[in-house]
Amino acid sequence: MSTLTAPIDVEKIRAQFPVLHQFVNGKPLVYFDNAATNQKPKQVIDALTHYYEHDNANIHRGIHTLAERATKAYEITRHAMQGFINAKHTEEIIFTRGVTESINLVASSYGRAFLNSGDEVIVSGLEHHSNIVPWQMICEERKAVLRVIPVTAVGELDLDVYRKLLSNKTKVVAVNHASNSLGTINPVKEIISLAHQAGAVVLIDGAQASAHLHIDVQELDCDFYCISSHKMYGPTGTGILYGKKELLEKMPPYMGGGEMIKDVTYAKTTYNDLPYKFEAGTPNIGDVIALNEAINFINNLGKAAIDAHEHELLVYAADKLAAIKGVRLIGTAKEKVSVQSFVIEGIHHFDIGQMLDTRGIAVRTGHHCTQPLMDHFGIEGTVRASFSVYNTKAEIDQLLEGVERIIKFLK
Ligand code: PMP
């Protein structure tokens, strides 16, 4: 964290989020479900509305004014995303529906082309189902083997075991930058470098990183990086796959259809250049265009300032929750994004979530699409509070009061 970072003016930021200013069950909304999806600032909503009110047209193939405007705005987001993650080439940015589709694209396309019987794919014990199941599916198809980096008691990856898992059989390593259930920030630079020494390519699931952490794909030297727009103040239904150009060029298309072709005859189709080879069909034009405003929102605040504010909230919440008798924190890694999971002995997490909702507090409960991780901790699920740049300590106090009341009432 930079000491030169200007502090966040939370009230000014909150004013930009219309959804936050409402009552839920008679109480002011406290939105702590940011890891599932965060809220959208007015500039994103306005960009979406503006597109449909003024510019709506299909892109790339039209010569009329609206089609040109829509195409230009769509490609502006591609450039903005290139800058956001410091990709070397614009054509390394492929628009998808989000992280899930990005991972499926790589597992399917790269996996079919380059995985063979006996090869190994390594994922980690901290992965979301969307970074497990696509690999399981392709491993089954290609008769490859899935290996898993284990997780320690505090929720960090055991890198000593990872080093031992790596071999010349390892073809792909797929891990998240930050865990959605525990908040753990993984040492991805080291993970990538070790994988490269073994000759494997690396995919990073950046779903929980893009709103919080500085991302530089050239510095990381990752081969693939996946982002969902809706986890970084942008609309749902879009996101990107970053891939190194030389790898994307070698990979076969994921879907066939319009836009991904150069020439089609019944005998043979030649495929389009990057990035269009991987963008078959009409994409989610309006949401991609609005995503540019989400990037602007983050860039205007600066990731360092966002991180400083969120980290303060995380430490405050974790310390106070841990001090409540009956509460057990799940996930206490040293390096974390602003996610805190916890359980209360003797009370089901669904009941806790429901009772907090009656107080206007939105948290997520359940396994968070990380069932193997929950199994590792011997639990079915957790209550997860995840904090964003527009949250406050006063809101955390309301959560703490709610938790204390629930324990008093139900025990
Ligand atoms: N990976 C992680 C770590 C996530 O948190 C999520 C969303 N919960 C995903 C993958 C899937 O993202 P999406 O649903 O946007 O495709």
Side-chain angles (χ1 to χ4, degrees):
M1 189 208 313
S2 161
T3 46
L4 297 173
T5 304
I8 291 281
D9 182 343
V10 184
E11 285 316 312
K12 213 165 143 194
I13 291 170
R14 289 180 71 81
Q16 298 173 49
F17 287 82
V19 78
L20 295 177
H21 307 282
Q22 62 174 298
F23 284 74
V24 169
N25 295 318
K27 302 276 166 29
L29 168 67
V30 172
Y31 188 80
F32 284 161
D33 195 16
N34 296 289
T37 196
N38 59 14
Q39 298 299 347
K40 318 307 169 200
K42 188 85 169 45
Q43 69 198 83
V44 169
I45 301 165
D46 287 349
L48 194 56
T49 310
H50 184 277
Y51 166 71
Y52 283 114
E53 285 183 352
H54 300 276
D55 301 333
N56 178 46
N58 213 330
I59 53 169
H60 293 141
R61 292 172 298 274
I63 49 149
H64 62 82
T65 303
L66 263 58
E68 276 176 11
R69 268 195 233 144
T71 303
K72 193 169 164 212
Y74 184 86
E75 292 301 328
I76 282 174
T77 304
R78 201 188 305 274
H79 279 280
M81 199 40 105
Q82 178 192 356
F84 189 71
I85 62 169
N86 193 31
K88 199 166 175 187
H89 307 285
T90 320
E91 59 267 40
E92 293 179 321
I93 307 295
I94 293 156
F95 288 115
T96 63
R97 280 164 53 224
V99 168
T100 302
E101 190 175 64
S102 299
I103 297 172
N104 274 277
L105 190 164
V106 177
S108 185
S109 168
Y110 188 89
R112 283 212 183 99
F114 298 111
L115 281 180
N116 291 304
S117 175
D119 286 345
E120 294 185 358
V121 172
I122 297 179
V123 295
S124 92
L126 284 175
E127 298 314 308
H128 188 280
H129 295 161
S130 62
N131 203 21
I132 300 172
V133 183
W135 299 112
Q136 254 172 352
M137 287 160 64
I138 197 68
C139 281
E140 200 178 328
E141 190 181 316
R142 304 299 303 165
K143 305 205 170 6
V145 180
L146 192 71
R147 302 257 181 234
V148 184
I149 310 168
V151 176
T152 67
V154 295
E156 291 171 349
L157 294 182
D158 188 333
L159 290 195
D160 290 336
V161 177
Y162 171 55
R163 280 189 194 89
K164 288 183 194 133
L165 285 174
L166 285 165
S167 75
N168 59 7
K169 287 190 203 153
T170 314
K171 293 295 176 294
V172 179
V173 174
V175 294
N176 61 42
H177 201 157
S179 149
N180 63 309
S181 293
L182 308 186
T184 312
I185 300 171
N186 288 316
V188 283
K189 197 160 180 198
E190 192 179 350
I191 289 171
I192 293 162
S193 155
L194 288 166
H196 284 170
Q197 285 165 38
V201 298
V202 185
L203 175 141
I204 303 294
D205 166 356
Q208 295 297 333
S210 56
H212 314 281
L213 304 176
H214 174 68
I215 300 164
D216 183 331
V217 290
Q218 292 188 71
E219 195 201 327
L220 287 176
D221 196 26
C222 55
D223 300 285
F224 303 102
Y225 198 99
C226 310
I227 287 178
S228 284
S229 153
H230 73 97
K231 308 244 192 222
M232 51 175 283
Y233 309 102
T236 53
T238 191
I240 62 133
L241 167 68
Y242 157 82
K244 279 184 184 161
K245 193 175 166 188
E246 59 274 23
L247 283 173
L248 293 173
E249 272 168 350
K250 280 193 232 157
M251 286 160 55
Y254 174 53
M255 287 200 294
E259 192 63 27
M260 52 74 72
I261 54 92
K262 263 189 183 150
D263 204 42
V264 179
T265 68
Y266 286 117
K268 186 174 167 55
T269 292
T270 47
Y271 303 131
N272 209 341
D273 296 326
L274 290 175
Y276 310 112
K277 182 172 90 173
F278 291 107
E279 291 184 0
T282 302
N284 191 347
I285 304 164
D287 290 315
V288 166
I289 289 171
L291 169 60
N292 185 42
E293 284 305 322
I295 295 170
N296 287 338
F297 172 80
I298 293 174
N299 285 344
N300 287 341
L301 288 175
K303 286 245 178 96
I306 295 173
D307 174 58
H309 177 72
E310 292 177 345
H311 189 72
E312 206 178 315
L313 294 179
L314 174 72
V315 172
Y316 183 76
D319 286 353
K320 299 250 173 183
L321 277 168
I324 300 175
K325 200 161 172 273
V327 171
R328 178 158 66 100
L329 299 188
I330 306 289
T332 49
K334 222 164 137 223
E335 300 290 333
K336 283 183 53 162
V337 291
S338 47
V339 169
Q340 189 57 62
S341 266
F342 61 94
V343 291
I344 301 176
E345 306 304 339
I347 309 177
H348 198 275
H349 46 270
F350 287 159
D351 294 333
I352 302 166
Q354 243 164 21
M355 292 176 84
L356 288 174
D357 184 57
T358 64
R359 305 172 77 90
I361 303 169
V363 291
R364 183 121 317 223
T365 57
H367 53 61
H368 317 298
C369 297
T370 54
Q371 275 183 334
L373 180 62
M374 296 296 117
D375 290 346
H376 167 75
F377 282 102
I379 52 180
E380 240 183 74
T382 72
V383 179
R384 181 185 72 185
S386 49
F387 312 113
S388 183
V389 69
Y390 41 68
N391 290 127
T392 65
K393 282 188 185 166
E395 289 181 311
I396 291 173
D397 288 340
Q398 286 174 54
L399 170 72
L400 297 166
E401 193 192 319
V403 167
E404 275 171 344
R405 286 276 174 97
I406 291 166
I407 291 176
K408 228 181 250 168
F409 180 70
L410 287 179
K411 285 214 153 178

